[in-house]
Amino acid sequence: MMIEKKAKTSVEINDLIASRWSGRAYNPDKSVSRKDILSLLEAARWAPSCFGDQPWRYIVFDRNSEKSDWHKAFSCLSEGNQSWAVNAPVLILSIADSVMSRNNMPNRWAQYDTGAASYSLCLQAVDRGLMVHQMGGFDVDKARDLFKVPEQFTPMAIMAVGYQLPLGKLDDEIRERELSERQRHPIDHNFFEGCWNKPFQSE
């Protein structure tokens, strides 16, 4: 039995969006096919970006095909993230180009666009029956050094990718964490209309 944590939304939204959540219980015995990895990258490739500049870069670490590179990426994670990401068969480093390729000017939208591409990747993962957890807790300088990332590029997040571990195989600690209720602020906390801090009204 797998855990489903569909968002409890105020109105109906697309099922892929409602079903996406950042689990931590990965199945260490189930690898991700190259075809599925490619589908995630393809989804990211078609994300929108300012002037179509596509400032995102991704480095894939597939434990099934190159274990040493995977371990290098894993070593960049914070201790807390390592405690559960150790079971994820794929890690992906997202990176944003700070310079616009069309004119060599600073690209202030690069991180925004890279986030959009990463979210597209996450939704594609849901469609393929995969789980993605994006992590900001990693050593940026170490990642830059290990993977020879040029200075104009900013490492943004490391994503764990894999299949969910069945509910029956979870220990008590991670079971409690995985079954905890998803929470979000109400619409009027983050969404305004007309001016700052004037809550959006649905009617």
Side-chain angles (χ1 to χ4, degrees), residues 169-202:
K169 293 187 176 182
L170 302 184
D171 61 37
D172 290 341
E173 181 182 348
I174 199 163
R175 177 193 292 264
E176 181 179 355
R177 186 166 55 180
E178 293 298 271
L179 292 177
S180 63
E181 186 177 353
R182 297 177 63 190
Q183 296 183 356
R184 289 292 188 276
H185 295 308
I187 286 284
D188 61 8
H189 187 277
N190 295 80
F191 300 89
F192 311 139
E193 184 170 14
C195 68
W196 182 261
N197 225 23
K198 179 185 176 185
F200 176 84
Q201 300 295 325
S202 59

Side-chain angles (χ1 to χ4, degrees), residues 44-58 95-117 152-153:
R45 185 167 82 101
W46 286 98
S49 62
C50 181
F51 288 109
D53 202 66
Q54 305 163 64
W56 49 78
R57 304 291 188 273
Y58 292 90
I95 302 163
D97 187 354
S98 65
V99 176
M100 191 82 74
S101 64
R102 63 195 296 270
N103 57 14
N104 289 319
M105 296 295 289
N107 184 356
R108 77 173 188 88
W109 306 277
Q111 296 182 14
Y112 180 91
D113 292 343
T114 301
Q152 80 175 48
F153 294 85

Side-chain angles (χ1 to χ4, degrees), residues 39-197:
S39 78
L40 304 188
L41 304 181
E42 186 68 12
R45 185 167 82 101
W46 286 98
S49 62
C50 181
F51 288 109
D53 202 66
Q54 305 163 64
W56 49 78
R57 304 291 188 273
Y58 292 90
I59 303 177
V60 177
F61 308 97
D62 183 358
R63 185 166 54 193
N64 191 51
S65 63
E66 191 50 74
K67 189 172 291 187
S68 63
D69 288 338
W70 183 95
H71 278 288
K72 287 179 184 177
F74 179 76
S75 74
C76 296
L77 295 175
S78 67
E79 185 176 345
N81 285 330
Q82 285 184 346
S83 67
W84 56 266
V86 65
N87 291 324
V90 175
L91 298 173
I92 302 177
L93 174 62
S94 65
I95 302 163
D97 187 354
S98 65
V99 176
M100 191 82 74
S101 64
R102 63 195 296 270
N103 57 14
N104 289 319
M105 296 295 289
N107 184 356
R108 77 173 188 88
W109 306 277
Q111 296 182 14
Y112 180 91
D113 292 343
T114 301
S118 294
Y119 189 59
S120 294
L121 184 155
C122 290
L123 293 182
Q124 181 66 13
V126 175
D127 186 65
R128 306 291 285 199
L130 293 162
M131 186 165 66
V132 176
H133 190 120
Q134 302 180 75
M135 297 170 281
F138 73 101
D139 189 326
V140 172
D141 292 332
K142 183 176 181 179
R144 183 187 296 282
D145 182 59
L146 281 175
F147 308 117
K148 299 177 174 58
V149 179
E151 277 300 318
Q152 80 175 48
F153 294 85
T154 305
M156 298 302 302
I158 293 180
M159 296 179 277
V161 182
Y163 290 94
Q164 187 185 133
L165 192 66
L167 182 60
K169 293 187 176 182
L170 302 184
D171 61 37
D172 290 341
E173 181 182 348
I174 199 163
R175 177 193 292 264
E176 181 179 355
R177 186 166 55 180
E178 293 298 271
L179 292 177
S180 63
E181 186 177 353
R182 297 177 63 190
Q183 296 183 356
R184 289 292 188 276
H185 295 308
I187 286 284
D188 61 8
H189 187 277
N190 295 80
F191 300 89
F192 311 139
E193 184 170 14
C195 68
W196 182 261
N197 225 23

